[in-house]
Amino acid sequence: MLRGMTVLLICQLIGEVTARALNLPMPGPVLGMLLLFSVLLWRGAPEWLDQVAQGLLRFLPLFFVPAGVGIMNHVQLMRAEWPAIAITLLVSTVITMIVTAGVLLLFLRLTDARKASTHATNHD
Amino acid sequence: MTDIWVYLAQTPLLWLTATLLVYYLADLGYQRVRQWTLANPVLLSVVLLVIFLTVTGTPYQRYFDGAQFVHFLLGPTTVALALPLWRYASRLRRMLLPLSAALLVGSLTSVLSVVAIGRLTGVSEVTLRSLAPKSVTTPIAMGISEQIGGLPSLTAVLVIVTGIIGAVIAQDLFDRLRLNDQAARGLAIGVASHGIGTARALQMHAEAGAFAGLAMGLNGALTALLTPILAQILGL
């Protein structure tokens, strides 16, 4: 538990320092995630790290609550434009999800088709 | 009685307990209504806490001073997303080209669609600039917003609203479209609604969660690079 948490915090710290030092447009924790991912590709994931990660990830939604409550500071600002903003966000989110998933599936099909055709020519 | 309140309202103990208790109850309620989408626990918790703080006349800053211990765990938990991602590394490697294409198009779609629809619904220009990076994780979105002349604090709120919308609608949308590929589901949620969406994706399926986490990270960087260019083209 202690070991796993320490590893996660070290990765976050390195990510934070790197982002600031190199002026990267990425938050420290996201860089930390990519760093830990590359270490895992190289060394694999030990059980003690996996346990801590699973424990934390189960409660990920909870960790957004304090920031979410910050909405109360902007109720005034958004009151006039609220319906337009809500419609805009809803429609844009739906479109973004459909397009992203659609492009992925389309390209998966295309690359599968290419693989299938190279297989076919190999057989010939 | 008021003395005790005045004392408690200034300690982290009260606001930490309130946050955990409200989330616990919201999650319980969510399970009770068989995960009915509108009963999303993040949405419920935020609504209940805002009502509670408003009724007791507590400023947000005082609440956050206490609840920041919960907020802090977002960092290490984001790093922890590397583990589910690693589990699907071999699938990831095979999908490299489709993933890159979907990320690029998805990132562009998010910014372009929000500006286009915002213009149609008559959103003001400064709000439009604050809306452009709405799909990426808060710290990145605030930076982009500032760079293109939006209001970073408004952006922070719009990002959270977007995340909650994504988390609430994703399951129904995917089911209706008969979109069953877990990688595509996760990628779509992560690109459209960052960490709050990723939290929901993890509940839906481990593979969806892994791809959502990846999408959140890479989409953030991509949007940071693309948005200033798009803003110029769109005349924001």
Side-chain angles (χ1 to χ4, degrees):
Chain A
M1 167 86 184
L2 183 61
R3 200 151 50 138
M5 195 66 196
T6 309
V7 167
L8 294 178
L9 287 176
I10 288 174
C11 288
Q12 186 184 348
L13 190 64
I14 294 175
E16 215 80 70
V17 171
T18 312
R20 254 150 251 268
L22 302 179
N23 231 339
L24 296 176
M26 259 212 229
V30 170
L31 274 183
M33 171 183 88
L34 296 176
L35 169 70
L36 181 58
F37 178 61
S38 31
V39 174
L40 294 178
L41 284 179
W42 175 43
R43 305 287 312 251
E47 177 64 26
W48 49 266
L49 185 61
D50 200 43
Q51 269 178 8
V52 174
Q54 277 180 22
L56 283 172
L57 286 169
R58 265 186 64 205
F59 297 106
L60 181 57
L62 163 67
F63 305 150
F64 286 103
V65 170
V69 177
I71 284 178
M72 65 185 278
N73 272 354
H74 293 271
V75 174
Q76 292 295 339
L77 191 62
M78 290 203 295
R79 190 164 286 169
E81 294 195 274
W82 179 240
I85 292 176
I87 292 169
T88 305
L89 286 180
L90 180 66
V91 178
S92 170
T93 303
V94 170
I95 293 176
T96 305
M97 280 187 181
I98 294 176
V99 170
T100 307
V103 170
L104 181 69
L105 292 177
L106 177 73
F107 270 75
L108 281 177
R109 209 157 293 167
L110 287 176
T111 47
D112 272 356
R114 199 183 55 194
K115 253 177 239 158
S117 69
T118 50
H119 274 293
T121 44
N122 284 346
H123 279 290
D124 292 341
Chain B
M1 191 64 207
T2 43
D3 283 354
I4 297 176
W5 172 257
V6 167
Y7 166 73
L8 277 181
Q10 280 163 353
T11 62
L13 176 66
L14 178 64
W15 303 117
L16 244 145
T17 314
T19 306
L20 294 190
L21 180 66
V22 164
Y23 181 80
Y24 174 73
L25 293 175
D27 196 48
L28 212 65
Y30 182 60
Q31 303 304 337
R32 186 64 54 86
V33 295
R34 292 187 195 160
Q35 312 199 350
W36 179 53
T37 44
L38 273 181
N40 182 279
V42 179
L43 177 63
L44 271 180
S45 304
V46 167
V47 170
L48 290 173
L49 282 166
V50 167
I51 292 172
F52 182 60
L53 294 177
T54 310
V55 168
T56 56
T58 309
Y60 174 63
Q61 197 52 50
R62 182 174 302 162
Y63 162 77
F64 190 79
D65 285 346
Q68 62 175 307
F69 300 103
V70 174
H71 177 76
F72 176 79
L73 289 172
L74 264 182
T77 311
T78 303
V79 177
L81 283 166
L83 279 113
L85 192 59
W86 170 75
R87 202 148 291 126
Y88 294 97
S90 62
R91 176 136 200 240
L92 213 86
R93 208 169 288 148
R94 270 180 279 131
M95 296 171 60
L96 221 49
L97 175 72
L99 277 175
S100 318
L103 275 166
L104 180 65
V105 178
S107 175
L108 286 169
T109 305
S110 166
V111 179
L112 293 176
S113 67
V114 85
V115 173
I117 299 161
R119 286 215 164 116
L120 282 177
T121 54
V123 172
S124 72
E125 280 296 305
V126 67
T127 306
L128 219 49
R129 286 194 285 266
S130 313
L131 272 171
K134 55 102 172 88
S135 283
V136 308
T137 187
T138 321
I140 301 185
M142 289 174 81
I144 299 173
S145 172
E146 191 168 19
Q147 205 181 349
I148 64 172
L151 303 170
S153 66
L154 178 60
T155 298
V157 176
L158 297 170
V159 166
I160 287 161
V161 175
T162 304
I164 291 175
I165 290 176
V168 167
I169 64 165
Q171 178 94 55
D172 278 349
L173 181 70
F174 296 152
D175 287 349
R176 206 156 291 181
L177 294 170
R178 296 207 187 84
L179 177 67
N180 298 317
D181 186 290
Q182 295 297 342
R185 283 178 170 229
L187 201 78
I189 289 197
V191 166
S193 52
H194 58 93
I196 300 182
T198 299
R200 178 78 190 95
L202 276 166
Q203 294 174 335
M204 285 161 54
H205 192 277
E207 187 177 5
F211 279 81
L214 175 79
M216 173 188 74
L218 297 182
N219 182 48
L222 208 53
T223 309
L225 296 173
L226 292 174
T227 313
I229 305 167
L230 287 177
Q232 217 149 38
I233 297 170
L234 295 168
L236 276 178

